[in-house]
Amino acid sequence: MKSIMSPLDLSTAELDELMDTAEDIMANPAKYAHACDGRLLATLFYEPSTRTRLSFEAAMLRLGGKTLGFHSSDSSSATKGETVADTIRVVSSFADICAMRHPKEGAPMVAAAVSQIPVINAGDGGHQHPTQTLTDLMTIRALKGHLDNLTIGMCGDLMFGRTVHSLIRALIRYENVKFVFISPKELMLPSYIRDDLLTQNNIAFREVSRLEDVLPSLDILYMTRVQRERFFNEEDYVRLKDFYILDKKKMQLASPDMLVLHPLPRVNEISTEIDDDPRSVYFKQVRYGMFIRMALILKLLEIKVD
Ligand code: NCD
């Protein structure tokens, strides 16, 4: 029984297999429609989410399984003081697999250590978000055709954004990937990523604060929102939230092949005026996310479909 806490829990070969399965599901949904008949997925969300939770639920329902769960800590026994470890022991008797989101870094690992069923980390604080990373990798592979030889810009809240932290870990395993990190000074990458991961592994990267200067050089631009809920004071958030706004004028500077990704929800950082630009793929990305979660559920439940 395997749990997924970080994208590194899967080898690049396993990632490729998952993406192949996800593409097969997209092409032949009927073949998979009953693959999880009689199975239950629990969604344990201690922190708000629309996309990720619905994506997991849609994934399980489309495989013929069912779902149960809670979507805020207020509606769980956490309010009575129950620990995550006890909650997962209980849920292990009801469900076959679970997805957990928690505001505290490491909470899903605590759960996985005592769980009888596979646990998928659906986002833990500012730490990791492996299924978003699978979504991002699949989007890039499907639309660019490869994951190596890319210059990837990551823009916005690089300090608190867990999607960025997870995606960097996954991407450094591919050949000749270069990063450009675009953020205000206050929201630069934490040193445990910059120094301990990138510098230590001799990965090429630059840190800049102006998006315009680097746009022409990018193959991928990964935009993120400023993570309001992880700020200590509202004033700092208000000062930084509109630092970057990707609009038509800026998109003119970018290559005709650049892709714009965003894990969503978007706030102001991408103007709706570029939603129709063929390079804006963030809504396609959401759809890939559901299919890759279907593939992951099948893998963790060890279900094979011929
Ligand atoms: C992201 C998250 O929760 O970290 N959203 C998501 O899962 N699609 C990004 C965000 O909240 O900014």
Side-chain angles (χ1 to χ4, degrees):
M1 193 265 312
K2 190 165 177 177
S3 287
I4 299 294
M5 296 295 117
S6 142
L8 300 187
D9 293 339
L10 298 163
S11 67
T12 50
E14 285 176 307
L15 287 179
D16 269 331
E17 252 170 55
L18 272 185
M19 292 187 250
D20 292 343
T21 306
E23 280 177 6
D24 193 52
I25 300 172
M26 286 180 86
N28 308 291
K31 198 167 107 185
Y32 294 86
H34 295 286
C36 283
D37 277 357
R39 306 298 184 102
L40 277 181
L41 164 82
T43 51
L44 313 180
F45 276 61
Y46 293 85
E47 193 186 68
S49 156
T50 320
R51 225 156 328 273
T52 305
R53 186 171 54 83
L54 293 186
S55 177
F56 269 111
E57 293 185 0
M60 192 51 158
L61 294 169
R62 280 174 182 265
L63 290 167
K66 292 196 167 65
T67 70
L68 73 173
F70 53 83
H71 44 84
S72 77
S73 45
D74 303 348
S75 55
S76 79
S77 291
T79 51
K80 300 184 193 162
E82 186 173 56
T83 62
V84 164
D86 277 3
T87 301
I88 196 74
R89 285 190 181 102
V90 171
V91 170
S92 290
S93 339
F94 302 149
D96 302 291
I97 183 167
C98 91
M100 176 183 285
R101 167 166 292 191
H102 204 286
K104 284 211 180 98
E105 285 84 0
M109 289 72 167
V110 171
V114 298
S115 178
Q116 302 296 317
I117 58 174
V119 179
I120 304 172
N121 177 4
D124 62 322
H127 191 210
Q128 303 248 23
H129 193 347
T131 59
Q132 182 63 47
T133 298
L134 298 183
T135 303
D136 304 337
L137 295 177
M138 175 155 178
T139 307
I140 298 172
R141 196 186 82 156
L143 301 176
K144 277 273 177 209
H146 53 95
L147 287 161
D148 40 19
N149 299 314
L150 292 170
T151 300
I152 300 178
M154 297 185 163
C155 175
D157 188 344
L158 308 183
M159 165 78 86
F160 297 113
R162 59 189 168 204
T163 58
V164 165
H165 302 161
S166 263
L167 184 56
I168 294 171
R169 279 179 206 279
L171 281 169
I172 61 172
R173 296 193 289 181
Y174 296 91
E175 290 294 311
N176 192 28
V177 168
K178 298 193 183 78
F179 293 100
V180 183
F181 299 115
I182 308 134
S183 73
K185 245 195 355 269
E186 296 87 336
L187 298 177
M188 282 166 81
L189 277 182
S191 66
Y192 73 88
I193 304 265
R194 184 198 310 107
D195 306 333
D196 304 350
L197 192 69
L198 297 168
T199 310
Q200 287 277 334
N201 288 293
N202 287 320
I203 308 293
F205 72 92
R206 283 199 288 155
E207 295 181 288
V208 300
S209 64
R210 259 175 62 88
L211 179 56
E212 290 86 335
D213 298 345
V214 294
L215 261 173
S217 67
L218 303 179
D219 299 309
I220 304 286
L221 173 59
Y222 194 87
M223 292 295 293
T224 63
R225 93 188 149 88
V226 175
Q227 304 279 301
R228 180 182 205 160
E229 66 278 31
R230 307 207 199 285
F231 272 70
F232 298 110
N233 71 65
E234 182 72 7
E235 241 169 70
D236 286 348
Y237 169 72
V238 170
R239 185 165 51 79
L240 294 168
K241 74 180 171 60
D242 293 330
F243 206 91
Y244 300 106
I245 299 179
L246 185 63
D247 55 14
K248 266 195 173 146
K249 204 159 143 246
K250 290 201 186 81
M251 284 300 277
Q252 284 169 2
L253 301 169
S255 130
D257 302 323
M258 187 188 80
L259 298 179
V260 183
L261 277 71
H262 190 306
L264 304 179
R266 128 176 92 181
V267 188
N268 281 330
E269 58 281 355
I270 299 182
S271 161
T272 53
E273 70 182 27
I274 71 154
D275 287 354
D276 294 333
D277 188 311
R279 294 170 291 179
S280 301
V281 298
Y282 28 91
F283 291 116
K284 280 191 188 159
Q285 192 182 348
V286 180
R287 198 168 155 72
Y288 287 125
M290 178 180 70
F291 292 107
I292 197 81
R293 287 185 176 92
M294 291 171 79
L296 183 65
I297 291 170
L298 290 176
K299 180 178 171 66
L300 296 178
L301 291 178
E302 297 176 11
I303 295 174
K304 296 240 181 319
V305 177
D306 303 321

